[in-house]
Amino acid sequence: MASVTAPALASPRRVRPDLGRVRRPLALAGDVRIDLFGALFGLATIHHELQLLVELQLGGRLTEYMERWARSVPTIGWSSQVGIAVHVAAIVLGILLLALPWRRALLMPLAVVFGLVNLVSPHRIPSHNSLMLAALAVLLVFGVAELIARAWSARRAADFRAAEPGTDWYGWTLRGLMLLCVLTYVAAAFQKLNPSFLSLATSPAPLFLLQFARPFGVPRDAALALIGYPSIHATIAIELVLPLMLLVRRTRLFGCLLGILFHLPMMAYGIMDFPVLIVGFYPLFMRLEEAESLVARLTSRPSALRVLSAVVVGMNCAAAISASPYVLDLWIVSRGVEPLLMYAHGACLYATVFLFAYVASTLAAHLLDRRAPRAAVPATGVA
Amino acid sequence: MVAERAGPSLGDRFALATVLLIGAAFVLNNLAPYLGLNYAGAMTMFSGITVTADNHLFIPKVALGGEGAYVSITDRKAQNLTRPMTETIDRLLRSGNERPQVSINVLRYHLSRACASSPGASLSLTLVTEAGQRREHENVCAEPSMLRYDVLTSRRPCNNRACTRAMRVLRAENVSWADEAGWVDEGRPDDLPPR
């Protein structure tokens, strides 16, 4: 199936060269792209759960949250103990996704668990839940299909692992997930086409940038006058342009950097689940060589400049988190505080923002290094 | 060596259909607010969209379903309801000096509980929608459509502060914490007011 991503999917069934040493449960095809996606999906799941549980504490203790909410809004009728068990199961799967290499396999049971999470979250269904469920549905359906196809052909082969599944289920998984990422950005831009978002007085867009002006003592009104309308229009423009940049090879890495920088302000406000989730889709657009090269860069010893830039960006974001009205209300106003939950929530917030600051600085360095050799080549049209 | 196929395999067709189906469901979920249908997790976070989804520049609100309605109870006559359920309905009738504007789905949930609270329960209601339309129900306990509700929804339960306060009282939460946490309105940070 021809597409602009055809080069990216030229070898979708390539497995890691160490397949013989790293056992891949269920013999599902995969490579570093789905590993990166799975790890970030796991991190997003942890943030989603921690944020939800901390919010639920606002009105009272967690041990009775389902019964408490059932007095005001429709619920599934399950007990709080069942609800907490489901949330804990999601967190455990999120941690396993971070720690273990069998990410495509682990995402399949998460599809079931996360479906249940929606039933035990009576206070709200966040916007990104539909994206998570849709992505998990793609992973589950195609994962099961691949297993069935392998089992079918293994009846003729001596070894299950050597059996060919026929259809490129992993390639279809990548395509399905990429489509969901594109639809997410388009839908998000589409929903913002209303007077409330486009008006300086009521738009939430400048809010996320104003938090960075606060530490420098810039008066709010002055900052708002400067960044207000640009932030409003840039938000919609970036959400429309970003999918295109990710799809086109020449702009892909710059699109990844732009996307991370675009989502950093929301992270700095203390809302981590959606930004981490959507950035997790970015590696899926890359060619395998691009992803492997980027991972090698991320895991290599960083230069002093890269570390410095990551620290500066991270510190700015961390300062914004510590002053975020949303985060402060969660930690201070709650009536049913579970200390372990608060510590975990805080630690995850700060750790994640520094991680993304580091990734952003690495991407920037990667892009600059890619441009530098080209600048020395004579203008013959050959890259 | 795999023989060349004339066209896409059955597996490819199934995969394409699955991707398109999931994508279509995602798109429909995001259009549902404007169609008056139930939805869960549309990409409306920080979008500025109103709770009734009637302020989009290009998409008019089309009431295919009645799920987007917010109503106030202006009058009620209850018979054979338990006292707690009568108090719940009264809490939704008035909160302070204002009438709560509650989601029709949430109202149906409470009506279902009220009608099931004791045999022979009867409840007559007069409702007014946010558009000012008046609806009278002689006995909601005899109307199955008024007793059906959705558990999974992203629609906000309330359209005004009176309803929010009423909900918190029903949950036996101290309303003062909500005043301290100015961003909170039924636990949704998605539509933060500028601060």
Side-chain angles (χ1 to χ4, degrees):
Chain A
M1 189 170 157
S3 72
V4 294
T5 61
L9 302 177
S11 55
R13 292 179 54 233
R14 186 189 304 183
V15 297
R16 281 178 168 178
D18 58 347
L19 177 62
R21 291 197 296 276
V22 177
R23 282 177 55 83
R24 280 191 175 270
L26 312 177
L28 288 169
D31 54 45
V32 70
R33 291 172 294 183
I34 200 72
D35 283 344
L36 287 171
F37 170 81
L40 286 169
F41 200 103
L43 183 60
T45 302
I46 293 169
H47 276 292
H48 169 92
E49 290 299 325
L50 288 176
Q51 188 174 316
L52 234 60
L53 291 173
V54 170
E55 285 176 2
L56 283 169
Q57 290 187 130
L58 280 166
R61 296 194 67 83
L62 272 179
T63 48
E64 55 188 25
Y65 85 93
M66 286 291 286
E67 291 81 6
R68 187 170 68 246
W69 277 88
R71 293 198 284 266
S72 65
V73 298
T75 68
I76 193 71
W78 296 344
S79 69
S80 299
Q81 283 67 37
V82 171
I84 291 170
V86 170
H87 286 298
V88 168
I91 292 175
V92 168
L93 276 171
I95 293 171
L96 291 177
L97 278 165
L98 280 176
L100 300 177
W102 316 313
R103 293 182 173 108
R104 200 174 156 207
L106 283 169
L107 285 165
M108 290 164 63
L110 184 58
V112 176
V113 171
F114 194 75
L116 296 176
V117 161
N118 285 273
L119 294 175
V120 294
S121 303
H123 75 308
R124 70 184 183 105
I125 304 290
S127 295
H128 58 270
N129 277 28
S130 60
L131 174 60
M132 290 180 81
L133 279 171
L136 289 169
V138 167
L139 286 153
L140 180 62
V141 169
F142 292 156
V144 169
E146 182 170 329
L147 291 173
I148 292 173
R150 279 192 189 274
W152 184 258
S153 64
R155 289 173 69 186
R156 298 182 211 131
D159 179 13
F160 178 79
R161 287 174 178 276
E164 294 295 325
T167 301
D168 179 13
W169 297 108
Y170 177 56
W172 279 108
T173 301
L174 294 182
R175 291 187 193 103
L177 294 174
M178 284 193 286
L179 175 65
L180 287 171
C181 180
V182 171
L183 288 177
T184 295
Y185 276 118
V186 172
F190 169 79
Q191 304 282 12
K192 292 179 173 70
L193 298 175
N194 59 76
S196 180
F197 184 85
L198 296 171
S199 163
L200 196 58
T202 52
S203 180
L207 182 73
F208 293 109
L209 290 182
L210 285 177
Q211 58 187 339
F212 293 111
R214 206 183 297 128
F216 296 101
V218 178
R220 188 180 187 275
D221 290 343
L224 191 61
L226 190 64
I227 63 165
Y229 281 114
S231 65
I232 291 170
H233 301 136
T235 297
I236 298 175
I238 289 173
E239 284 177 341
L240 289 173
V241 161
L242 204 48
L244 294 171
M245 295 179 76
L246 291 172
L247 283 168
V248 175
R249 182 188 157 198
R250 289 183 71 123
T251 55
R252 187 170 298 138
L253 286 182
F254 182 70
C256 291
L257 176 61
L258 178 64
I260 292 175
L261 294 175
F262 174 65
H263 289 296
L264 265 180
M266 186 182 284
M267 290 182 172
Y269 199 82
I271 297 171
M272 291 284 178
D273 42 15
F274 174 69
V276 173
L277 173 70
I278 198 66
V279 170
F281 283 79
Y282 294 177
L284 303 174
F285 290 82
M286 296 178 189
R287 297 180 344 153
L288 185 58
E289 297 78 28
E290 283 176 327
E292 288 175 338
S293 164
L294 186 59
V295 169
R297 194 68 188 260
L298 282 167
T299 52
S300 67
R301 187 172 173 171
S303 66
L305 186 59
R306 186 149 56 110
V307 171
L308 181 65
S309 61
V311 167
V312 167
V313 172
M315 290 295 292
N316 266 289
C317 293
I321 289 174
S322 64
S324 163
Y326 169 62
V327 174
L328 289 176
D329 288 340
L330 288 178
W331 290 350
I332 293 171
V333 179
S334 285
R335 297 179 68 214
V337 175
E338 298 288 347
L340 186 61
L341 204 55
M342 309 307 263
Y343 292 142
H345 182 238
C348 282
L349 286 180
Y350 290 111
T352 302
V353 84
F354 275 101
L355 170 68
F356 275 74
Y358 175 72
V359 172
S361 68
T362 302
L363 267 171
H366 201 54
L367 280 165
L368 286 171
D369 285 349
R370 276 175 45 159
R371 281 174 62 98
R374 251 188 233 133
V377 174
T380 59
V382 177
Chain B
M1 187 170 173
V2 178
E4 287 190 15
R5 297 192 182 92
S9 67
L10 182 63
D12 285 322
R13 286 198 203 111
F14 168 75
L16 178 62
T18 302
V19 167
L20 291 178
L21 185 66
I22 293 175
F26 188 84
V27 170
L28 181 62
N29 190 48
N30 278 277
L31 292 176
Y34 308 100
L35 302 176
L37 301 173
N38 188 26
Y39 65 97
M43 301 305 300
T44 54
M45 62 180 171
F46 306 113
S47 66
I49 184 175
T50 59
V51 292
T52 47
D54 55 2
N55 66 336
H56 197 275
L57 285 179
F58 305 114
I59 306 292
K61 179 72 179 288
V62 177
L64 284 184
E67 297 308 315
Y70 288 83
V71 296
S72 298
I73 304 173
T74 56
D75 193 20
R76 69 106 179 123
K77 287 186 184 65
Q79 285 183 355
N80 296 328
L81 256 59
T82 60
R83 186 172 171 175
M85 291 318 308
T86 306
E87 287 175 355
T88 296
I89 299 298
D90 285 344
R91 183 62 62 184
L92 296 177
L93 176 70
R94 187 174 291 280
S95 177
N97 295 326
E98 275 185 279
R99 291 199 187 279
Q101 282 191 3
V102 63
S103 154
I104 189 70
N105 186 61
V106 171
L107 178 63
R108 288 197 208 118
Y109 167 68
H110 287 291
L111 295 178
S112 171
R113 294 171 71 217
C115 294
S117 65
S118 68
S122 167
L123 179 60
S124 116
L125 288 180
T126 303
L127 305 177
V128 174
T129 68
E130 79 272 11
Q133 191 183 17
R134 192 182 170 91
R135 287 158 49 172
E136 297 199 6
H137 299 268
E138 201 172 305
N139 181 11
V140 294
C141 296
E143 293 180 50
S145 63
M146 287 300 286
L147 304 179
R148 277 195 294 265
Y149 57 88
D150 295 314
V151 171
L152 274 183
T153 181
S154 284
R155 287 207 180 270
R156 296 174 71 162
C158 293
N159 196 22
N160 65 359
R161 280 276 175 185
C163 173
T164 306
R165 279 196 300 271
M167 290 288 154
R168 293 201 177 103
V169 171
L170 288 175
R171 291 196 298 272
E173 292 173 8
N174 185 350
V175 296
S176 65
W177 71 265
D179 294 326
E180 291 170 38
W183 59 269
V184 174
D185 198 346
E186 284 304 308
R188 282 181 64 103
D190 286 15
D191 294 302
L192 289 159
R195 218 173 130 172

